Amino acid sequence: MAKIKLKRKKIFKWFLSLSIVLLLGLFGFYFSVYWSLWEPLATKEQLSNIRQSEATEIFASAGELLGKYFIFDRQPISFEEIPKHLIEALIATEDARFYEHNGVDRRSLLRVIFKTVLLRDESSGGGSTISQQLIKNLYPRQDHGIFSMPVSKTRESILAVRLEKIYSKEEVLTLYLNTVPFGDNTFGIESAAEKFFSKTAQELTLEESAVIVGMLKASHSYNPRLFPERSELRRNVVMNQMKKYGFLTDEEYQISSKRPLELSYTPYSHNKGIAAYFRANLRKKVQSWLQSYNDSVGTDYNLFTSGLKVYTTLDYNMQKLAEESLTQHLTQLQTDFEKSYGQRAPWLRNSEILKDALYRSSVYKKLKATGLSEKAIRDSLSQKHNVELWDWNGKKIVQASTLDSIRHYTKFLNAGVLSVDPFAGEIKAWIGGIDYEHFQYDHVSQSKRQVGSTFKPIVYATALEQGIAPCQFYSARQVTYANYNNWTPVNSGTPDYDKRYAMKAALANSVNTVAVKVMEDGGIENVIDLAHRMGIASEIPQVPSIALGTAGLSIMELAKAYTSFLNKGRPSTPFFIKRIENSNGDVLAEFDPEVAEEAVFSEKTRLAVLEMMKGVVDEGTATRLRWKYGLKNDIAGKTGTTQDNKDGWFVGITPRLITISWVGADDYRVGFKTTAMGQGANSALPIFGLLQQKMIAQGGFERYTDAQFPPPSIAIQNMMGCATEKKTGVLNRVFVDNSKPKVTEFNYTPETAEPKKKEGILKKIGNIFKRKDKKKKKKRGS
């Protein structure tokens, strides 16, 4: 008996000790959050300023409003404008004891501690009050690993109590309903009422209020536009809760629950609209600047609540026309692209493309994190349900699986467009992709692709700087580079390798074989050096193929490099923020253009390359700007197409504007089936052509469309005044091994009947030409 008592006593002591340790641990954890050891907690002063929160406004160059950044829409409504039945629906569903607690419902909190925190059962429910949910909306949760949930819940509890010491219950409800997110990227009750029912919040019926409150549980799953039947069931659950807590009689519930769900949907979202990619990139830029500014000055400006005004360089009307041009062209090009492949499309036949897209998707990552097997994930994602799919004809709801949806989006061509003032570097138009909602990867700021022949002007500028004349003739015959895996550049279309091109004509007609020879003469190190001095920061490999644009560069880098050809040889760094003001109009920062102090090449080189690029438009690969789009204004440019037609490029140059367009698939295993379709002149150039057409037709862009290049000087005319091409001999290909003494080709000149050596010769071929030469001399002698 004594042993049993002793054992019980030990157990009691052990349990008491464990309880004390747990209690101390909980207190220690609580105060670690309270003292901001995990993350900063909002002060009473900061919480008080929520009442004056204002959205940051973004303005285009002429003062037009481009968009806003906000926690809640700048259409706040007062407590008196919120229908009584909507507030009752909210309280009955989300926080039945709202008027009884001080911000934290301790009964629900105990449930969270024991089920969610201790048992790691995240499906047990959040237990958050309306005040806690408001804190979560205002100050999003941060990642603290396995402690994320307890830290977030504790932080929200502490701040919810602080909040309710500052605001009345009515003010908390108003703040909550003005900030809470609903379906389709909609924030605030007023915006939700306008979007789903085309009316103000004050005009909502009981049933409509219940639909909107029902979305708070899961804004996507209970979206009435996507899932009307599910939304109607959820609506009835909300009204049943209202009956349970005495806000509705049984008769009222029976009548309301039998009424059909009726929407009057009006699409609207602050995350859509004009310049969506630009605004997303601007947000990151301003947030980064604000963090640095606040740290250095000691302020606490917030992008979403401080009412800042950001003035940008973007031309609102040009941006609008650029987006219209891209849409017009890509709509038809996508149709042609899919038709060219038919049922043999790579996105249908190459399982690796779908698998990689699946692994990148957020839905796969979430399921994988739960520990499901690959087969279980596949089975789950193969279930068909209502899915919203986008294409160039708009959105539609179809019965499809998640795998079907992922496959659907792998087939799309994407695009990027950037227009820059070459003198100051001001960005005038920015399109990072075809649709921001579904393709958020920005091809202007994030993507690096092979740039094809748009790199050639840099090669030719280098050659000119090294003293090679624009009228220097080069043979088009092929050269195989033995020490580069027998790489042999080829010319597109139906090439005539017997021709000899003047350097200016080789650029106009984008002759690849000549471009590599020009780069050899100019020096590959010199080409790379000039490219970097022109503003290209990416690594450029020291291989012959870079003459054809095999280096991966961004649109932004290419734009900076091309500004040199208009700005007296001085590259201008593209920028898009002019100034930032606070809500009182005080200027916090102004951003000046960054233009190189010294020219990277001579004025003679600049003008010569510009004349060559005029030839691209007037008689080369971009002539369709003249005959198809009817453009008569001064234009220079350069087309570009990469290997296997993966990328199409066009750089359009007018005297006061540079516009770069790129078109290609996001997955590099998907390219155009034919060069006729995929070449830059067909895939990317039309965006520029349509934009110019629209700018001329609309008017107001005369600064750009009527501008003229200065006429070339007599010296430049003399420099460029030669024939464009000649016939060469019958030699088809030469082998070069750069690891040995240089061996180059024989150029045969019919006009003089004289063979010309460059450095070394292939002996056998040289003997053939010598025999021909002797015969001709004998003939002359006779």
Side-chain angles (χ1 to χ4, degrees), residues 291-494:
Q291 183 176 351
S292 176
Y293 182 85
N294 286 336
D295 289 343
S296 62
V297 182
T299 52
D300 61 350
Y301 287 115
N302 183 289
L303 179 64
F304 301 97
T305 62
S306 297
L308 303 175
K309 299 185 188 311
V310 182
Y311 295 89
T312 74
T313 64
L314 209 72
D315 186 306
Y316 187 94
N317 292 320
M318 190 185 297
Q319 176 73 27
K320 184 171 178 289
L321 295 182
E323 292 181 8
E324 290 176 6
S325 300
L326 184 146
T327 298
Q328 182 178 333
H329 174 56
L330 265 293
T331 299
Q332 184 58 52
L333 186 64
Q334 183 68 39
T335 300
D336 296 341
F337 178 64
E338 292 179 40
K339 186 177 179 181
S340 70
Y341 277 112
Q343 293 304 309
R344 302 184 64 82
W347 57 86
L348 297 176
R349 298 173 66 85
N350 188 340
S351 60
E352 292 299 313
I353 292 176
L354 177 62
K355 185 165 70 174
D356 291 347
L358 172 65
Y359 291 163
R360 290 193 302 268
S361 67
S362 59
V363 64
Y364 175 87
K365 292 175 181 177
K366 286 179 182 177
L367 291 175
K368 191 71 175 176
T370 65
L372 288 177
S373 67
E374 192 71 20
K375 183 179 183 304
I377 293 174
R378 289 268 182 172
D379 290 343
S380 173
L381 299 181
S382 297
Q383 298 296 318
K384 293 192 181 293
H385 54 282
N386 279 347
V387 176
E388 179 186 270
L389 296 181
W390 173 91
D391 62 24
W392 286 110
N393 296 316
K395 296 178 182 177
K396 56 185 176 182
I397 306 297
V398 298
Q399 274 283 313
S401 68
T402 303
L403 283 175
D404 293 332
S405 175
I406 292 172
R407 181 183 289 108
H408 170 77
Y409 288 113
T410 61
K411 70 183 180 182
F412 283 96
L413 294 168
N414 222 310
V417 179
L418 187 71
S419 291
V420 178
D421 175 337
F423 306 108
E426 293 186 354
I427 290 174
K428 296 299 178 183
W430 173 320
I431 308 175
I434 56 175
D435 182 81
Y436 184 73
E437 184 178 358
H438 299 93
F439 302 90
Q440 296 193 358
Y441 186 74
D442 192 321
H443 287 281
V444 169
S445 64
Q446 295 174 280
S447 178
K448 288 188 178 183
R449 307 280 295 216
Q450 292 187 357
V451 295
S453 295
T454 59
F455 191 79
K456 288 177 183 175
I458 300 173
V459 173
Y460 283 71
T462 303
L464 291 170
E465 285 292 281
Q466 297 304 310
I468 301 169
C471 286
Q472 170 73 44
F473 274 82
Y474 284 87
S475 166
R477 63 172 59 109
Q478 292 177 286
V479 173
T480 295
Y481 294 84
N483 59 326
Y484 290 103
N485 297 319
N486 288 327
W487 176 68
T488 305
V490 298
N491 297 328
S492 62
T494 307

Side-chain angles (χ1 to χ4, degrees), residues 78-134:
S78 64
F79 183 78
E80 290 72 27
E81 294 174 280
I82 303 172
K84 182 171 177 288
H85 51 67
L86 191 147
I87 292 173
E88 292 170 346
L90 176 66
I91 291 173
T93 309
E94 297 293 322
D95 191 356
R97 289 179 287 277
F98 176 71
Y99 286 108
E100 300 169 18
H101 60 66
N102 66 341
V104 177
D105 187 340
R106 286 169 178 77
R107 285 166 56 183
S108 294
L109 186 60
L110 286 173
R111 171 169 56 83
V112 172
I113 290 173
F114 285 101
K115 295 188 74 176
T116 304
V117 179
L118 298 181
L119 301 181
R120 307 299 297 165
D121 180 10
E122 295 187 7
S123 64
S124 63
S128 295
T129 65
I130 288 173
S131 299
Q132 288 171 285
Q133 291 180 48
L134 174 58

Side-chain angles (χ1 to χ4, degrees), residues 9-22:
K9 190 174 182 180
K10 285 183 178 179
I11 292 173
F12 177 76
K13 284 183 177 180
W14 178 85
F15 179 78
L16 183 63
S17 299
L18 181 63
S19 298
I20 292 171
V21 169
L22 286 173

Side-chain angles (χ1 to χ4, degrees), residues 14 46 228 285 569:
W14 178 85
Q46 289 171 327
K285 190 81 171 179

Side-chain angles (χ1 to χ4, degrees), residues 479-489 516 519-520 524-525 528 541-546 735-740:
V479 173
T480 295
Y481 294 84
N483 59 326
Y484 290 103
N485 297 319
N486 288 327
W487 176 68
T488 305
V516 179
M519 185 183 69
E520 282 191 292
I524 190 169
E525 298 90 349
I528 294 172
Q542 193 168 322
V543 293
S545 62
I546 65 167
F735 291 84
V736 173
D737 186 345
N738 288 331
S739 65
K740 299 175 182 178

